[in-house]
């Protein structure tokens, strides 16, 4: 049985950590600490970090090292716009032959960020267009750390997502599209508050 190279395992592990909110936006990713966490040397970690920087999931600065991206208000609002446009296009261009991926009907409030990622990933899977799928998957991953870190700002995020899940389960795509527009529009308007909240969390980390 073929064993993936160590740097590939580390790449997947860090990517999973970003999706799960284990790293804050703006957090410094230190190779020695990650090497200890993955029980390896720093070389595979550095290979993995360089690979992740190529996907846009982390930033690299020659003088400062590797960081989880911290967006300003304009860039965060733009990323919400981009994500929303991609999701709507995926639904519009979805292949009717694809079965809609079933998702859990009962959502735990503490799992809302992960459940959001799963819904958006399921939407990605209904299109066969690789030029659409790749940027949509990347945008979904890029926003995952923000979703986790800002969760306290939205008291009704669970109910909002449950409504989207209901539309998905019922295959009510017009209502799903309308709900997604509201979802992205709301977060775009909150971009200044979200960025301020993220910076406060990052400051508390130090």
């Amino acid at each position: 049985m073929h064993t993936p190279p160590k740097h590939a395992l580390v790449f997947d592990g860090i990517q999973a950590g970003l999706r799960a909110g284990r790293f804050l936006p703006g957090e410094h990713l230190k190779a020695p600490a990650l090497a200890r966490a993955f029980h390896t040397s720093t070389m595979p970690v550095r290979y993995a970090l360089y690979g992740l920087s190529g996907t846009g999931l982390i930033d690299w600065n020659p003088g400062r090292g590797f960081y989880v991206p911290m967006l300003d208000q304009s860039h965060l609002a733009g990323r919400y716009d981009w994500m929303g446009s991609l999701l709507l296009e995926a639904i519009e261009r979805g292949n009717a032959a694809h079965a809609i991926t079933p998702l859990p009907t009962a959502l735990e409030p503490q799992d809302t960020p992960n459940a959001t990622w799963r819904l958006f990933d399921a939407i990605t899977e209904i299109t066969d267009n690789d030029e659409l799928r790749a940027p949509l998957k990347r945008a979904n991953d890029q926003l995952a750390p923000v979703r986790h870190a800002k969760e306290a700002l939205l008291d009704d995020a669970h109910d909002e997502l449950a409504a989207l899940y209901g539309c998905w389960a019922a295959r009510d795509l017009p209502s799903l599209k309308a709900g997604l527009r509201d979802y992205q529009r709301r977060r775009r308007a909150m971009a200044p508050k979200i960025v301020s909240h993220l910076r406060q969390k990052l400051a508390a980390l130090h």
Side-chain angles (χ1 to χ4, degrees), residues 6 9-10 13-14 17 22-23 27 29-42 45:
K6 192 66 177 180
L9 295 174
V10 175
I14 297 174
R22 288 196 286 272
F23 306 106
E27 185 173 345
L29 300 178
K30 300 177 182 179
L34 289 168
R36 290 192 295 272
F38 287 101
H39 306 289
T40 186
S41 66
T42 58
V45 172

